[in-house]
Amino acid sequence: PVERPAEGVRVVITAGPTREPLDPVRYLSNHSSGKMGFALAAAAAALGARVQLISGPVALPTPAGVERFDVESAQEMHDAAQRLAGECDLFIGCAAVADFRAETPAEHKLKKREGEDTLTLRLVKNPDIIAAIAARADRPYVVGFAAETRDLATYARDKLERKRLDMVVANDVSRAGLGFGADDNAALLLWREGDTTGQVELPPQPKIALAEAVIRQALAQLAD
Ligand code: C5P
């Protein structure tokens, strides 16, 4: 018999980058491939969960059994997350959300101007999607990601507190062959356990295996 420990659990996951328009043909974005978020969605669905995946623009097929919602900007991702989070047990924010967007995207294509060698863009802060979910009265169990290049545990613990998360998956993006765009990843998992924090180190492994370990750990905490 197939083991389905996530049967009956409703999961919402954000994945991939966001795109913030500057004008009709240009945008601000980042190098997130969406692989980790899609691997989490695939793993949760394979374990029996009902999975809704909110994805920024990525070049990945929808995992089997997953319901997908495509968005572009952080504001669209925020709106979709708020709409879906009310009816889920577990929310995982894996998206690399752009921190800022153009205050007023140009209506027409921006033009180079004779004699002007600089261009100033005024950016405004995007909503913090996961912090907004964690601030809800009907909050689900909230898992966030922390991509750091140093002091992994310190920053991860800080993120747990500041965004009021239940669990943080921290990875060191400076390690060669791991993280952004790669197929493998390693992570330090931290979660709240009463007044203390539990933690486990997950060694470098394919993102799909790491994703399953993360989902299993979150399920174990959810059940407590
Ligand atoms: O603040 P920082 O970007 O380092 O935090 C990363 C975590 O917060 C990830 O879980 C990411 O998906 C989430 N996040 C978000 N909305 C933002 C920025 C980050 O949900 N605007």
Side-chain angles (χ1 to χ4, degrees):
V2 189
E3 186 215 6
R4 289 168 70 85
E7 190 87 65
V9 178
R10 300 162 303 175
V11 184
V12 171
I13 300 171
T14 66
T18 65
R19 263 182 202 175
E20 312 301 327
L22 298 177
D23 71 11
V25 299
R26 303 185 179 95
Y27 55 82
L28 283 176
S29 191
N30 60 66
H31 288 298
S32 170
S33 65
K35 282 179 187 167
M36 192 63 215
F38 275 58
L40 287 162
L47 292 174
R50 186 198 79 177
V51 184
Q52 296 181 310
L53 176 62
I54 306 169
S55 180
V58 297
L60 294 171
T62 309
V66 169
E67 189 183 359
R68 175 171 174 175
F69 301 82
D70 284 312
V71 297
E72 296 240 331
S73 67
Q75 190 60 54
E76 286 170 20
M77 187 174 277
H78 177 69
D79 294 346
Q82 284 296 332
R83 191 161 47 79
L84 298 176
E87 283 179 46
C88 77
D89 307 295
L90 173 59
F91 181 92
I92 308 179
C94 192
V97 183
D99 290 322
F100 295 91
R101 66 174 181 274
E103 184 173 49
T104 319
E107 198 181 326
H108 296 288
K109 190 179 168 193
L110 293 166
K111 290 299 199 188
K112 293 185 286 284
R113 278 184 211 197
E114 199 67 40
E116 286 187 14
D117 290 339
T118 64
L119 170 71
T120 304
L121 291 170
R122 191 172 164 83
L123 305 179
V124 293
K125 220 172 191 174
N126 269 326
D128 191 313
I129 298 169
I130 203 167
I133 298 296
R136 288 171 65 122
D138 63 345
R139 62 179 281 165
Y141 191 84
V142 183
V143 179
F145 275 69
E148 306 292 348
T149 55
R150 63 194 170 112
D151 299 332
L152 210 57
T154 310
Y155 286 121
R157 202 153 288 158
D158 175 66
K159 207 149 288 184
L160 202 62
E161 294 306 324
R162 218 162 20 82
K163 301 198 186 209
R164 300 185 56 225
L165 307 179
D166 295 300
M167 181 180 282
V168 171
V169 184
N171 43 57
D172 183 344
V173 290
S174 68
R175 291 172 69 171
L178 303 177
F180 262 14
D183 289 318
D184 284 18
N185 214 349
L188 174 68
L189 275 193
L190 289 177
W191 62 90
R192 284 178 201 282
E193 223 167 51
D195 291 338
T196 61
T197 47
Q199 88 175 56
V200 65
E201 221 180 299
L202 303 171
Q205 54 194 299
K207 282 182 176 172
I208 189 73
L210 190 82
E212 186 178 326
V214 170
I215 297 290
R216 284 184 184 279
Q217 194 61 244
L219 288 174
Q221 297 308 312
L222 253 176
D224 269 3

